[in-house]
Amino acid sequence: EIYDAIPMEPGIKEELKNIEERIEIENCSANHIMVDILHVCQDEGKKILITTDMYLSRKTIEAILHKLNIREDRLFLSNEVGVTKASGKLFPYVLADLHIPAEEMIHIGDNLISDIVRPKECGIAAQVRLKPTAKETPYAFRKTKSLAEEHVTLFIQNHFDNMKTVTPEE
C-alpha cells in the first residue's frame, strides 16, 4: 500500500520495493540477548509467536528471521490480518486464532504502547525487551554457569526492576 501511493510507473515502484526488501534483509542485526532467551524458551518447550506491525512482506520477514537464526511457531503480520498491535486489536486476534486465554501468553517488545500497554489491556503479561548496552560486562568476565543463564537472569531482573506490581503469571 505504501508503494501504491508513490506517483511512479509500476515497474519502478516494484524495483524500489525490491531494493528496500533487500536492504532490510542485509542490514537487520540480531539482539543476541533476546535471541538467546528465545532459544532457551524453545528448549523448554515454549511456543514462540512473532507479531509485527511491519509492512514488509511475509517472505521478507521470514528471510530476516532465518538470517538471524530465529525460529518461530507462528508469525502474525498486521498487514495480512488487517489489525495492528498499535490499535490493540492484533492481540485478541492472536488469542482467538490460537484458542488460548490471555494468561497463557507473555508479550515482549520495545514499543511502550504497542508492545506493553496494548497487550496488558487484553490481559496479556508484557515485558520490555532487553537490549545490549555499552555498560555491560563482557561475558568472558562474568561468573555464571552459562550465557543462557545470564540472559535469563538479566531478563528477569529487568522485568522486576520496571514493575510496580507482579501478577502470578509474570
Side-chain angles (χ1 to χ4, degrees), residues 41-76:
C41 290
Q42 287 175 318
D43 291 345
E44 294 293 323
K46 304 297 181 199
K47 299 290 182 200
I48 302 299
L49 314 173
I50 295 180
T51 60
T52 181
D53 281 348
M54 175 55 85
Y55 61 88
L56 294 170
S57 69
R58 174 174 289 275
K59 181 182 107 188
T60 303
I61 298 291
E62 288 175 342
I64 290 169
L65 295 172
H66 177 76
K67 174 190 169 193
L68 301 178
N69 191 29
I70 296 172
R71 303 173 326 274
E72 79 287 342
D73 293 288
R74 290 287 301 274
L75 175 60
F76 291 90

Side-chain angles (χ1 to χ4, degrees), residues 85-141:
K85 292 191 301 182
S87 71
K89 295 179 181 177
L90 185 58
F91 299 105
Y93 176 92
V94 169
L95 294 171
D97 187 76
L98 298 173
H99 307 289
I100 61 169
E103 297 80 24
E104 290 186 15
M105 184 182 292
I106 181 168
H107 185 80
I108 302 167
D110 61 359
N111 182 287
L112 178 63
I113 302 303
S114 299
D115 295 321
I116 306 303
V117 173
R118 296 297 183 240
K120 284 185 175 184
E121 289 173 347
C122 298
I124 299 169
Q127 165 65 45
V128 175
R129 70 165 171 83
L130 290 177
K131 54 186 171 184
T133 66
K135 297 177 187 177
E136 287 185 348
T137 305
Y139 291 118
F141 298 104

Side-chain angles (χ1 to χ4, degrees), residues 35-46 148-149 151-152:
V35 173
D36 287 347
I37 291 171
L38 178 140
H39 291 153
V40 169
C41 290
Q42 287 175 318
D43 291 345
E44 294 293 323
K46 304 297 181 199
E149 179 183 299
H151 289 332
V152 171

